[in-house]
Amino acid sequence: MGRRSRKADTDFKAAARSWFENNPDGRKPTMGDVARLAGVSKKTVSRVINDSPQVNDATRAGIKELIRDIGYRPDPQARGFAFRRSYLVGMIYDNPTPQYVVNVQLGILDGLKGTDFELVVHPCNRQSDTFIEDARKFVEMQKLYGVVLTPSVSEDERLAEALREIGCAYIRVASVALDMERRMIVTNDRVGGREAARHLASLGHSRIAVIAGRRSFRSAHERRSGFEDGLMEFGIRLPMDYVLQGDYTFESGLARGADLLDLDPPPTAAFAANDEMAAGVLQALHVAGLKAPEDLSIVGFDDFETATRIWPRLTTVHTPARKIGRLAAQSLLAFGDEDVPLGPNQTVPELIVRESTRELESS
Amino acid sequence: MGRRSRKADTDFKAAARSWFENNPDGRKPTMGDVARLAGVSKKTVSRVINDSPQVNDATRAGIKELIRDIGYRPDPQARGFAFRRSYLVGMIYDNPTPQYVVNVQLGILDGLKGTDFELVVHPCNRQSDTFIEDARKFVEMQKLYGVVLTPSVSEDERLAEALREIGCAYIRVASVALDMERRMIVTNDRVGGREAARHLASLGHSRIAVIAGRRSFRSAHERRSGFEDGLMEFGIRLPMDYVLQGDYTFESGLARGADLLDLDPPPTAAFAANDEMAAGVLQALHVAGLKAPEDLSIVGFDDFETATRIWPRLTTVHTPARKIGRLAAQSLLAFGDEDVPLGPNQTVPELIVRESTRELESS
DNA sequence: CTGAAAGCGCTTACAG
DNA sequence: CTGAAAGCGCTTACAG
């Protein structure tokens, strides 16, 4: 008969049974065990695990069955060690809003579900002198498979360049495209700003103030520009002194909210570039003994939990943070494969109307 | 002269220089490189790295110098692989409050700073059938060095037992001691509840309602009991119908807040077992056209950001989430070492008085 | 106090 | 389509 292929010789069911019979202490099987039981080399098992095409179909099927039956799971640490990179995905961020951070984390984990990848978090301070160096060390030491960058670190070209230099895959989440398409999740904040303006304008408002976000954040520019675009559609012009400079913090919203009340003539509505600042404006109104929406209609941006905790509940533009995280993780996993077609990498903000805005009473 | 010890033979400065001269492509040094340059075995370098006492002082000093000069950093992946465990710390949690989660994460990273450890996050659902199995798989697959458990998963005995079984170090964060001292960070929520009661009682309130937290959470019991203890000190008794059952969500606060207004006689003050519910009560007041603290004084618990975003700003009991995370990480790192004395593993909540409470007007 | 050997569980060339 | 050898960068016994 001569040589017969091993897959024909091997009874994979029996092999699985023998594993359990000869393993009283419940040791977890290794690739070597699978190979021995299947009567093949470790390399062949490795090929099956890594979906290499060059394996006989019958062999592949039998090995997969055996793997399932004895509950073999390749050790990600050993695999990573041999691959010279880990099965870890990093999230590098400096956004201080807990709701954003947690939701993007959840989204990334959604996108990683069913894989062997885990998520390592790396908050950082972009102002620090060692920011780039720290991030590089983080990535290199852990040999991260890739990283997700969220605003505003995602906007940092030095960081992106450093990551390219060390060959680390990355996905940048930002309000506009800043990089090759497969490296971006674009959130289109400009569209959200426009929706906010359309909403206020269609309620009859025309004296509308804007509290802008931190200048160094690209989203601040996008949200404001989009808002101005929307006003333009209604023929409304935004006077310079109706634009107040905030920095995305609640405190700046509180301060600019107070300033806003001194404007002459007073605005009947305001757009704050994020919910934190909108909450500050609302609090400034309370302090002044005024009320929204009666004395001022106000629109925020983000739709984090705060928006529904304050009173009146905030009309705002929803940022799908969790979805953003999921898309970023999916893009990252696909990044290595040239074959995988580019998945969706855009999200669109959506206006959520609540009680902080209302029709302007004709006076 | 016969045998001379190697450390006397080796010029470590020259060795460092030769590394840079012979490494034009900037390859990162390995332990083997260090050993070769120092004229010792890898094992000796390994001993230096792992602070093994059995190394000649001069040898140790020279090797440390060399390591610093050529910028050698042991590969955590390889080290972990040989050790059969990783340099990763996990955080397993089911608390849905983003501010708590993010702050504990930051705290854990504070505690890990300066080490080679990184943080892997693992949100989970305690209600899921596969909850324990998933957590075990997470820990085993990544060979985690240890995990931090926060409420309410920290209260799950099955989880703790599963972790002990697989030999995974863990630290439980909980309102009371549930385990050996070195495995616990105790937050003493009862003390916080007592402070809240003392505050309201000392303002002259005696008709005080309580919105309790989710029954299955130990903290709910502690906060409420502490509150009752505090009332007792002032001779105030909490009638059964003044205790409303919430579940820690904003929505339950909103619903129980509405119920609370129907109580007869109406309470003049209320204690909500967390800020989310307190925010709900405040919103219920707004909906009913009433105001805090004029119509009802209200105290929350946690002092997350929400507390200062709502109006009036909430008098509440501060939970030091970031500090809790730091202590947990420090305890975890010390857990392996029998020698390391037990560090601080208690935190005490602190009352923060803001505008949601005020003295009862004598009527 | 120090070292040579073997090994952790995988993968990458290289053969065939 | 499959395998034997060497190796990833460390550590653990075991010697001496």
Side-chain angles (χ1 to χ4, degrees):
Chain A
M1 293 211 32
R3 184 177 176 284
R4 284 174 54 194
S5 66
R6 280 190 175 73
K7 56 270 181 192
D9 289 355
T10 308
D11 177 345
F12 291 103
K13 284 293 176 203
R17 246 175 284 123
S18 92
W19 166 254
F20 289 109
E21 282 160 14
N22 299 304
N23 184 30
D25 42 343
R27 189 172 60 80
K28 282 187 295 185
T30 69
M31 178 177 282
D33 294 319
V34 176
R36 187 172 36 74
L37 290 165
V40 300
S41 72
K42 290 194 296 178
K43 179 62 213 172
T44 298
V45 179
S46 173
R47 286 196 179 94
V48 170
I49 286 172
N50 291 297
D51 286 319
S52 160
Q54 32 188 8
V55 180
N56 178 295
D57 283 345
T59 309
R60 178 192 306 283
I63 291 176
K64 281 199 166 173
E65 190 188 330
L66 179 61
I67 285 175
R68 185 164 19 77
D69 289 346
I70 68 175
Y72 167 66
R73 308 233 48 185
D75 179 338
Q77 205 175 23
R79 223 140 94 88
F81 181 51
F83 268 139
R84 284 157 201 66
R85 72 175 174 199
S86 72
Y87 279 76
L88 299 172
V89 164
M91 170 173 166
I92 302 181
Y93 60 94
D94 61 340
N95 187 314
T97 313
Q99 293 149 2
Y100 182 75
V101 172
V102 163
N103 279 306
V104 175
Q105 288 179 359
L106 287 173
I108 293 176
L109 289 165
D110 288 343
L112 260 30
K113 189 152 292 177
T115 71
D116 283 335
F117 289 92
E118 295 291 346
L119 174 62
V120 186
V121 297
H122 189 79
C124 62
N125 175 9
R126 204 177 163 191
Q127 306 314 319
S128 158
D129 293 338
T130 56
F131 156 57
I132 301 285
E133 200 39 44
D134 290 348
R136 180 207 290 265
K137 199 174 291 172
F138 169 62
V139 169
E140 282 193 322
M141 286 295 281
Q142 297 299 325
K143 302 211 199 74
L144 296 185
Y145 177 88
V147 293
V148 174
L149 312 176
T150 62
S152 72
V153 288
S154 63
E155 298 164 8
D156 197 304
E157 281 308 327
R158 295 173 310 155
L159 177 58
E161 195 189 321
L163 292 172
R164 263 179 265 130
E165 220 167 66
I166 61 180
C168 175
Y170 64 80
I171 301 293
R172 299 163 79 168
V173 174
S175 46
V176 290
L178 302 168
D179 208 322
M180 333 169 13
E181 206 180 351
R182 37 194 326 123
R183 288 192 181 279
M184 290 298 313
I185 301 295
V186 178
T187 57
N188 295 300
D189 291 27
R190 179 177 286 255
V191 174
R194 198 177 58 208
E195 292 299 319
R198 286 176 176 168
H199 173 64
L200 289 176
S202 66
L203 289 175
H205 294 278
S206 58
R207 290 208 314 275
I208 306 175
V210 168
I211 302 190
R214 190 186 292 267
R215 274 183 220 278
S216 57
F217 282 44
R218 185 60 185 259
S219 63
H221 177 258
E222 294 301 310
R223 291 173 184 192
R224 173 183 164 174
S225 299
F227 191 78
E228 294 196 59
D229 291 349
L231 291 186
M232 200 91 74
E233 295 174 358
F234 286 77
I236 300 170
R237 180 183 143 272
L238 185 62
M240 282 292 279
D241 61 330
Y242 267 44
V243 179
L244 309 178
Q245 187 62 47
D247 65 3
Y248 276 150
T249 64
F250 173 78
E251 288 71 23
S252 73
L254 190 57
R256 295 297 83 73
D259 295 347
L260 179 156
L261 299 176
D262 292 335
L263 254 28
D264 182 29
T268 62
F271 169 57
N274 73 353
D275 289 352
E276 281 289 298
M277 293 197 296
V281 174
L282 233 42
Q283 206 160 99
L285 287 178
H286 279 125
V287 169
L290 299 174
K291 290 168 87 167
E294 291 80 355
D295 298 300
L296 186 81
S297 280
I298 169 114
V299 181
F301 203 115
D302 281 340
D303 193 31
F304 295 149
E305 278 172 36
T306 301
T308 57
R309 300 307 184 248
I310 58 183
W311 184 262
R313 298 186 319 153
L314 204 58
T315 293
T316 188
V317 179
H318 181 77
T319 296
R322 186 160 180 167
K323 179 180 180 187
I324 287 168
R326 178 169 53 76
L327 295 181
Q330 289 168 340
S331 292
L332 196 54
L333 296 184
F335 189 80
D337 266 317
E338 291 291 330
D339 312 334
V340 179
L342 193 60
N345 70 339
Q346 301 267 334
T347 64
V348 179
E350 189 191 351
L351 182 77
I352 309 287
V353 178
R354 298 203 182 88
E355 296 83 23
S356 69
T357 50
R358 73 165 189 186
E359 200 150 355
L360 181 67
E361 288 170 12
S362 45
S363 51
Chain B
M1 285 212 47
R3 184 176 179 282
R4 284 174 53 194
S5 66
R6 281 191 175 71
K7 57 271 182 191
D9 290 354
T10 308
D11 177 345
F12 291 102
K13 284 292 177 203
R17 246 175 284 123
S18 93
W19 166 254
F20 289 109
E21 283 160 13
N22 299 305
N23 184 31
D25 41 344
R27 189 171 60 79
K28 282 188 294 186
T30 69
M31 179 178 280
D33 295 320
V34 176
R36 187 170 37 73
L37 290 166
V40 300
S41 73
K42 291 194 295 179
K43 180 62 212 170
T44 298
V45 179
S46 173
R47 286 195 179 95
V48 171
I49 285 171
N50 292 297
D51 285 319
S52 161
Q54 33 189 6
V55 180
N56 177 295
D57 282 346
T59 309
R60 179 192 305 282
I63 291 177
K64 281 201 165 172
E65 190 188 326
L66 179 60
I67 284 176
R68 184 164 20 77
D69 290 347
I70 68 175
Y72 167 66
R73 309 234 48 187
D75 179 338
Q77 205 175 23
R79 224 141 95 88
F81 180 52
F83 268 138
R84 283 157 201 65
R85 73 174 174 199
S86 72
Y87 279 76
L88 298 172
V89 164
M91 170 174 168
I92 301 182
Y93 60 95
D94 61 341
N95 186 314
T97 312
Q99 292 149 2
Y100 182 74
V101 172
V102 163
N103 280 306
V104 175
Q105 288 179 359
L106 287 173
I108 292 176
L109 289 165
D110 289 343
L112 260 30
K113 188 151 291 175
T115 71
D116 283 335
F117 289 93
E118 295 291 345
L119 174 62
V120 186
V121 297
H122 189 79
C124 62
N125 174 9
R126 206 177 161 191
Q127 307 314 320
S128 158
D129 292 338
T130 56
F131 157 57
I132 301 285
E133 200 39 44
D134 290 348
R136 179 206 290 264
K137 200 174 290 173
F138 169 61
V139 169
E140 282 192 324
M141 286 294 282
Q142 297 298 326
K143 302 211 199 72
L144 296 185
Y145 177 87
V147 292
V148 174
L149 312 176
T150 62
S152 72
V153 288
S154 63
E155 298 164 8
D156 197 305
E157 281 308 326
R158 294 174 309 154
L159 177 58
E161 195 189 320
L163 292 172
R164 262 178 267 127
E165 220 168 65
I166 61 181
C168 176
Y170 64 80
I171 302 293
R172 299 162 79 169
V173 173
S175 46
V176 291
L178 302 168
D179 208 322
M180 335 169 9
E181 205 179 352
R182 35 191 328 120
R183 289 191 181 279
M184 290 297 314
I185 301 295
V186 178
T187 57
N188 294 300
D189 292 27
R190 179 177 286 254
V191 174
R194 199 178 58 209
E195 291 299 319
R198 286 176 176 170
H199 173 63
L200 289 176
S202 66
L203 289 174
H205 295 278
S206 58
R207 291 208 313 276
I208 306 175
V210 168
I211 302 189
R214 189 186 293 266
R215 274 183 220 276
S216 57
F217 282 44
R218 185 60 186 259
S219 63
H221 177 257
E222 293 301 309
R223 292 173 183 190
R224 173 183 165 176
S225 299
F227 191 78
E228 294 195 58
D229 292 349
L231 292 185
M232 199 90 76
E233 294 175 358
F234 287 77
I236 300 170
R237 182 185 141 270
L238 185 62
M240 282 293 280
D241 62 330
Y242 267 45
V243 179
L244 308 179
Q245 186 62 47
D247 65 3
Y248 275 151
T249 64
F250 172 77
E251 289 70 24
S252 73
L254 190 56
R256 295 297 83 71
D259 295 347
L260 178 154
L261 299 176
D262 291 335
L263 252 27
D264 183 29
T268 62
F271 169 57
N274 73 354
D275 289 351
E276 281 289 298
M277 293 196 297
V281 174
L282 234 41
Q283 207 160 100
L285 287 178
H286 279 125
V287 170
L290 300 174
K291 290 169 85 167
E294 291 80 356
D295 299 300
L296 186 81
S297 280
I298 169 113
V299 180
F301 204 115
D302 280 341
D303 193 31
F304 295 149
E305 278 172 37
T306 300
T308 57
R309 301 304 185 249
I310 58 183
W311 186 262
R313 299 186 318 154
L314 204 58
T315 293
T316 188
V317 179
H318 180 77
T319 296
R322 186 161 180 167
K323 180 180 180 187
I324 287 168
R326 179 169 53 77
L327 295 182
Q330 289 168 340
S331 292
L332 196 54
L333 296 184
F335 189 80
D337 265 318
E338 290 291 329
D339 312 334
V340 179
L342 194 60
N345 69 340
Q346 302 266 335
T347 65
V348 180
E350 190 190 349
L351 182 76
I352 310 287
V353 178
R354 298 202 182 90
E355 296 83 25
S356 69
T357 51
R358 73 166 190 186
E359 201 149 355
L360 181 67
E361 287 170 13
S362 45
S363 50

